[in-house]
Amino acid sequence: MRDLECAYPSLFKEGQQGWVPGSPAPQSPPSGSSVSAFSKKPRSVEVTTGSTALFEAETERTGVKVRWQRDGGDIGANDKYGLAAEGKRHTLTVRDVCPADQGSYAVIAGSSKVKFDLKVTEAETVSCEKTEPEVAPTPEEAPGAPREVPAPVTELEENAPSPEGSAPGSQAAPDDPIGLFLARPQDGEVTVGGSVVFSARVAGASLLKPPVVKWFKGKWVDLSSKVGQHLQLHDSYDRASKVYLFELHITDAQATSAGGYRCEVSTKDKFDSCNFNLTVHEAMGSGDLDLRSAFRRTSLAGTGRRTSDSHEDMGTLDFSSLLKKRDSFRRDSKLEAPAEEDVWEILRQAPPSEYERIAFQHGVTDLRGMLRRLKGMKPDERKSTAFQKKLEPAYQVNKGHKIRLTVELADPDAEVKWLKNGQEIQMSGSKYIFESIGTKRTLIISQCSLADDAAYQCVVGGEKCGTELFVKEPPVLITRSLEDQLVMVGQRVEFECEVSEEGAQVKWLKDGVELTREETFKYRFKKDGQKHHLIINEATLEDAGHYAVRTSGGQALAELIVQEKKLEVYQSIADLAVGAKDQAVFKCEVSDENVRGVWLKNGKELVPDSRIKVSHIGRVHKLTIDDVTPADEADYSFVPEGFACNLSAKLHFMEVKIDFVPRQEPPKIHLDCPGRTPDTIVVVAGNKLRLDVPISGDPAPSVFWQKTVTQEKKAPAGTPPGAPEDAGADEEWVFDKKLLCETEGRVRVETTKDRSIFTVEGAEKEDEGVYTVTVKNPVGEDQVNLTVKVIDVPDAPAAPKISNVGEDSCTVQWEPPAYDGGQPVLGYILERKKKKSYRWMRLNFDLLRELSHEARRMIEGVAYEMRVYAVNAVGMSRPSPASQPFMPIAPPGEPTHLTVEDVSDTTVSLKWRPPERVGAGGLDGYSVEYCQDGCSEWVTALQGLTERSSLLVKDLPTGARLQFRVRAHNVAGPGAPVITKEPVTVQEILQRPRLQLPRHLRQTIQKKVGEPVNLLIPFQGKPRPQVTWTKEGQPLAGDEVSIRNSPTDTILFIRAARRTHSGTYQVTVRIENMEDEATLVLQIVDKPSPPQDIRVVETWGFNVALEWKPPQDDGNTELWGYTVQKADKKSMEWFTVLEHYRRTHCVVSELITGNGYYFRVFSHNMVGSSDQAAATKEPVFIPRPGITYEPPAYKALDFSEAPSFTQPLANRSIIAGYNAVLCCAVRGSPKPKISWFKNGLDLGEDARFRMFSKQGVLTLEIRKPCPYDGGVYVCRATNLQGEAQCECRLESLSDQDGSPEVNRYRRCQPVYQKSRRELEVPPFLL
């Protein structure tokens, strides 16, 4: 037995020894070259013709291979170019420079690429022929196409090394100032009738989707709508160089083709544009003009000019050519006019070949009907007698919108009928509305649908006018985009998208070319409601590319990657040694169940017969030869169809020699390599293991199969901790042998006279070990050891770990599998998917040797998951568990508008705004740092991050000149910093102190007893002023008054005001000898005390005269009046007689004779009425007259009455800030309940509104109304008989308004206040 090196995939034969010879060795993946950068980059230069240009570059290491390029092709050393390299220094010399040498150059070292320019200025007279460098051939540009624009010096960095010979533009340059263009279209010149091509190249290595390119003429004319015979747009993609080529072809150029053009290219997050001009020259000068040549048909095909004098009379005159040329000028002049939005006008002016494109672009569903109606529209130039203004020829409206069709009549009394497709329109609901204003008649169609797309007519008498209405459908949007797919050759591909409307028209494109149903039915298009499918039954390598679905409202892109199908051999055929009349079985297993193959014998196809059988079950192919003969000894091969693969093995025929031996023959095991040295038999887990051991002996020997089980003897648990490390070197092993004697089951032994067969069905890891075969008979015994090794695919690795997450990349790390399957791990396969998706995308096609990989080209803000496979010679393991979801996130941008708000001797106040670009990672906070001017060491101003956009930096050295910078942070790390434009000197700036007394504090401040007092006064001044408070010239004393000062304001605070706190307060701010002062008057008011010395002055008839003295304490404010009440001695119920009465004597009348009365008086001020009243001590009796009157008896009457307003509310205007009242009068019995409402809201709970009711007069007082108090006020009265209400509108005018109403109110306000005091009536009655 022999051990062979295993290949990938492993090749073995069940039941036989070792590996199959001749199996191909696995190919190791190419190792990446190290990435080197330049320490010194070449610069762009400008030289004169005839001189020498020298470019110099230095690499970071010596021995780095450097390539020089021009226009994407490599430059070699020749007479024109000189290349030199000395250590790290590399130079390029351009000798005898001429204008042809001007252009863009580049130098490449590893994965670094630096671009630079050579500009050539003309000398006096220099003639130079262009010497072609040794460059790779590039496609020739068409006439008029400009050369590539020189790019400024730029270094392109990529993680992957740049392969030799890669095309230019294969690496993206996100920081390249040139933008997205690798080559911009340049100005061109062409003669009339000639052709010109403008080309633009865009780098596509860093783009996930193809860029969108638009061509414009002038400012707004989109040339995509002008594509036709004389103007074409082409685009292509070079997979080798990863460069997109976009071309604008103008054929048969005319004078109107001249002008300015613009090319715009846009991607997901980038935009670039460039302008270029086209100059069109006349075919010949004015001096060479030949009138006949302009009208002559030339006989030369394909040309329109005279080639020689001999052909002058060969043509015939053509007078129609100039007329056609004039018409072509008119048609081409449309290029300069902006496209109209009216579809009818577009169709009128467009050629018939453009009808379908316009219909798809504008959502036209019935193109044929629309063209028929357009053809039938003829201008009616007859003067109408019934219409002054007819309908427009056509109208256009969006679906779901409203349209108005208006005519003007000559007779305003004429009868009008509206027809739709010849049928009269009847008014039904809100769909059709007929409007008549003067001589105008209007048909309004609401909620227009496709059914309203028809011909409409307006009929007046015997005359009619008509129009066409076109209903435009809204653009169809793509609600679910396409997904990228990775398939093998021959697999089925299905792209699926979802749009916003069912049955919408969509277009499928591949690399910008529209797909159609070909004769071979390669593409199938399927519609399922809002879902659209593109199906490719059997994918080929040519199907790879970018697929797009386009609707009238947008498009979606996806990439299809098609890989070649590789056939993996899981089990190869092995050499066999078979005796006569035995059975030989060749077996192999491949990865594809559908693969068929051919069996060959010595290179010729093997024909099956009754003895030779060929079978194919799933992935297993078998060749069975029964009753083997010497003629069957040959080389056998299995060749799979369609794959360059050949599996071969040899069949050895063993002759059994019969020699005369004595009756007694010792037993013997007949193997190729008998001996005591264990031979290794390798079998793949799950396969069948069959060991066929020939034996001999007379008499027939007994056969014993034993499996040796080795176990390590464990060390005693009490091993001292200080034992040396090599204490375990003398390990003890316990050998135990297990006898195998079962004849049935998974592991079984079958013994015949001349052989013993050991079989294991479905080999497992536990079947590994040393198997001993022992044969015995009376003469002797023989023994052979066979070592069986079971190999399998590796275990699944643990879940990978994600680190170094960037904007579009991350680092994936994983650990080797716990069990390698008995074979070394050859590499790993990495897969990625979006978190919400079920489709895994393979990231590498060559096995990864390392335990980490940097994954790129991810979308920021999208959650991803990773998993990894381990691969050994047997195959690929199960996938590892998915990694923790992660999201590529980029650091935020730099903060904006960093300003210094304030500076003191030790502090600096900074303020900034959030960055313009936050990204998907959000914003965690900001860090602030500072450093000395001229120093590079930054000091952290704040530990941790601050979420605010301002900061006060403290403890700074006085007089220092500091620079400050602010960074924004998120989970991806800090972003770019923003630095103050100039150093900041930490020094206080002297500012004169100034108090900014608020307006409401400049008048007397009134507070009630017990209310808090909080007076805030802002001030200015630097350095911080000293604040002093005094009262009546004395310092404030006591704990009840507290002063709180801050750098910008001071606060006087009293928790509960008392009368003693009233007075004049002075506040002073002082800086050195400068100060400012303000005075505040604080008035603390309380309820007044009751009046004094009330007495009855006189009593007569039904009247009583009362008199009293003012209260001793007025509550520190003006008295508003007195309230006089009376009470009958019998009931002692108090009734108000007078309210808000200002005099100290009054007469109470209408008293009842014979009753005794008590009287009391309350005093009132702005706080309220006094807590107690001054009352008479003795009752006052009203005497009865001498004559007794017997009143007649009357029948009790029912005076109940429903409420009714005798005086309703009146609309009025008020001034904001001045008290206002609303008055009305109501009657009703019993007394109704009164409720007030404002704009439907109950005002009963609002303290700003006071409601009064006296003798049926209802008053609502609004305290200091604001502009928002305007509205509708309602007064509602309710009793058992019913309810009534009245309302008014109140308008609140601003105090700052200069309207006449405001000025009149201000002039009347003093008179109004005076009249209230003199008349002593309640204010709500005025």
Short mmCIF file of all heavy atoms in Angstrom, two decimals, residues 161-183:
data_model
loop_
_atom_site.label_atom_id
_atom_site.label_comp_id
_atom_site.label_asym_id
_atom_site.label_seq_id
_atom_site.Cartn_x
_atom_site.Cartn_y
_atom_site.Cartn_z
N PRO A 161 -4.09 44.54 -6.19
CA PRO A 161 -3.00 44.97 -7.06
C PRO A 161 -3.46 45.12 -8.48
O PRO A 161 -4.35 44.44 -8.95
CB PRO A 161 -1.98 43.84 -6.91
CG PRO A 161 -2.77 42.66 -6.51
CD PRO A 161 -3.90 43.18 -5.68
N SER A 162 -2.83 46.02 -9.21
CA SER A 162 -3.17 46.24 -10.61
C SER A 162 -2.47 45.21 -11.45
O SER A 162 -1.25 45.09 -11.42
CB SER A 162 -2.75 47.65 -11.02
OG SER A 162 -2.97 47.85 -12.38
N PRO A 163 -3.17 44.41 -12.24
CA PRO A 163 -2.53 43.39 -13.05
C PRO A 163 -1.76 44.01 -14.18
O PRO A 163 -2.01 45.11 -14.64
CB PRO A 163 -3.72 42.56 -13.56
CG PRO A 163 -4.86 43.50 -13.55
CD PRO A 163 -4.62 44.44 -12.41
N GLU A 164 -0.78 43.24 -14.68
CA GLU A 164 0.02 43.70 -15.80
C GLU A 164 -0.87 43.84 -17.02
O GLU A 164 -1.69 42.99 -17.32
CB GLU A 164 1.15 42.69 -16.08
CG GLU A 164 2.19 42.66 -14.98
CD GLU A 164 3.02 43.92 -14.94
OE1 GLU A 164 3.10 44.60 -15.96
OE2 GLU A 164 3.58 44.24 -13.90
N GLY A 165 -0.62 44.93 -17.75
CA GLY A 165 -1.35 45.11 -18.98
C GLY A 165 -2.78 45.53 -18.83
O GLY A 165 -3.55 45.43 -19.74
N SER A 166 -3.19 45.96 -17.65
CA SER A 166 -4.58 46.39 -17.50
C SER A 166 -4.81 47.66 -18.27
O SER A 166 -3.96 48.51 -18.38
CB SER A 166 -4.90 46.59 -16.01
OG SER A 166 -4.07 47.58 -15.49
N ALA A 167 -6.02 47.80 -18.78
CA ALA A 167 -6.36 48.96 -19.61
C ALA A 167 -6.47 50.19 -18.76
O ALA A 167 -6.73 50.12 -17.57
CB ALA A 167 -7.67 48.69 -20.35
N PRO A 168 -6.26 51.35 -19.29
CA PRO A 168 -6.37 52.58 -18.49
C PRO A 168 -7.78 52.78 -18.03
O PRO A 168 -8.73 52.43 -18.68
CB PRO A 168 -5.94 53.68 -19.49
CG PRO A 168 -6.18 53.09 -20.83
CD PRO A 168 -5.94 51.63 -20.68
N GLY A 169 -7.87 53.41 -16.89
CA GLY A 169 -9.17 53.64 -16.33
C GLY A 169 -9.74 52.49 -15.58
O GLY A 169 -10.85 52.51 -15.16
N SER A 170 -8.92 51.41 -15.38
CA SER A 170 -9.45 50.26 -14.66
C SER A 170 -9.58 50.51 -13.19
O SER A 170 -10.23 49.77 -12.49
CB SER A 170 -8.55 49.05 -14.89
OG SER A 170 -7.24 49.32 -14.41
N GLN A 171 -8.94 51.56 -12.68
CA GLN A 171 -9.05 51.88 -11.27
C GLN A 171 -9.75 53.20 -11.13
O GLN A 171 -9.50 54.14 -11.87
CB GLN A 171 -7.67 51.96 -10.62
CG GLN A 171 -6.91 50.63 -10.66
CD GLN A 171 -5.57 50.73 -9.99
OE1 GLN A 171 -5.23 51.78 -9.50
NE2 GLN A 171 -4.85 49.66 -9.96
N ALA A 172 -10.66 53.27 -10.17
CA ALA A 172 -11.45 54.48 -9.98
C ALA A 172 -10.62 55.53 -9.30
O ALA A 172 -9.72 55.25 -8.54
CB ALA A 172 -12.69 54.17 -9.15
N ALA A 173 -10.95 56.77 -9.54
CA ALA A 173 -10.28 57.91 -8.94
C ALA A 173 -11.29 58.81 -8.31
O ALA A 173 -11.69 59.81 -8.86
CB ALA A 173 -9.45 58.64 -9.98
N PRO A 174 -11.79 58.50 -7.12
CA PRO A 174 -12.84 59.31 -6.53
C PRO A 174 -12.42 60.72 -6.20
O PRO A 174 -13.23 61.61 -6.15
CB PRO A 174 -13.21 58.51 -5.26
CG PRO A 174 -12.02 57.69 -4.97
CD PRO A 174 -11.37 57.39 -6.29
N ASP A 175 -11.08 60.96 -5.98
CA ASP A 175 -10.63 62.30 -5.64
C ASP A 175 -10.07 63.04 -6.84
O ASP A 175 -9.45 64.07 -6.70
CB ASP A 175 -9.57 62.21 -4.53
CG ASP A 175 -10.13 61.60 -3.27
OD1 ASP A 175 -11.35 61.79 -3.06
OD2 ASP A 175 -9.38 60.97 -2.53
N ASP A 176 -10.21 62.50 -8.04
CA ASP A 176 -9.67 63.11 -9.24
C ASP A 176 -10.43 64.38 -9.54
O ASP A 176 -11.64 64.35 -9.71
CB ASP A 176 -9.78 62.13 -10.39
CG ASP A 176 -8.89 62.57 -11.56
OD1 ASP A 176 -8.44 63.72 -11.57
OD2 ASP A 176 -8.68 61.75 -12.45
N PRO A 177 -9.75 65.55 -9.63
CA PRO A 177 -10.49 66.78 -9.93
C PRO A 177 -11.18 66.75 -11.27
O PRO A 177 -12.04 67.56 -11.54
CB PRO A 177 -9.39 67.85 -9.88
CG PRO A 177 -8.28 67.25 -9.09
CD PRO A 177 -8.34 65.78 -9.36
N ILE A 178 -10.76 65.85 -12.16
CA ILE A 178 -11.41 65.81 -13.47
C ILE A 178 -12.84 65.35 -13.36
O ILE A 178 -13.63 65.49 -14.28
CB ILE A 178 -10.61 64.88 -14.41
CG1 ILE A 178 -10.96 65.17 -15.86
CG2 ILE A 178 -10.87 63.44 -14.12
CD1 ILE A 178 -10.09 64.44 -16.85
N GLY A 179 -13.27 64.81 -12.24
CA GLY A 179 -14.65 64.37 -12.06
C GLY A 179 -14.85 62.95 -12.52
O GLY A 179 -13.99 62.08 -12.35
N LEU A 180 -16.02 62.69 -13.13
CA LEU A 180 -16.34 61.34 -13.57
C LEU A 180 -15.73 61.03 -14.93
O LEU A 180 -15.63 59.86 -15.30
CB LEU A 180 -17.86 61.16 -13.63
CG LEU A 180 -18.59 61.22 -12.29
CD1 LEU A 180 -20.10 61.23 -12.53
CD2 LEU A 180 -18.21 60.04 -11.42
N PHE A 181 -15.35 62.04 -15.70
CA PHE A 181 -14.86 61.81 -17.05
C PHE A 181 -13.40 61.35 -17.02
O PHE A 181 -12.56 61.92 -16.30
CB PHE A 181 -14.96 63.09 -17.88
CG PHE A 181 -16.35 63.48 -18.26
CD1 PHE A 181 -17.00 64.50 -17.61
CD2 PHE A 181 -17.02 62.79 -19.25
CE1 PHE A 181 -18.28 64.87 -17.95
CE2 PHE A 181 -18.31 63.14 -19.60
CZ PHE A 181 -18.95 64.18 -18.95
N LEU A 182 -13.11 60.31 -17.80
CA LEU A 182 -11.72 60.01 -18.14
C LEU A 182 -11.31 60.81 -19.36
O LEU A 182 -10.15 61.20 -19.49
CB LEU A 182 -11.55 58.51 -18.40
CG LEU A 182 -11.55 57.58 -17.17
CD1 LEU A 182 -11.41 56.15 -17.61
CD2 LEU A 182 -10.43 57.95 -16.22
N ALA A 183 -12.22 60.98 -20.27
CA ALA A 183 -11.98 61.80 -21.46
C ALA A 183 -13.24 62.58 -21.76
O ALA A 183 -14.32 62.00 -21.88
CB ALA A 183 -11.59 60.93 -22.67
#
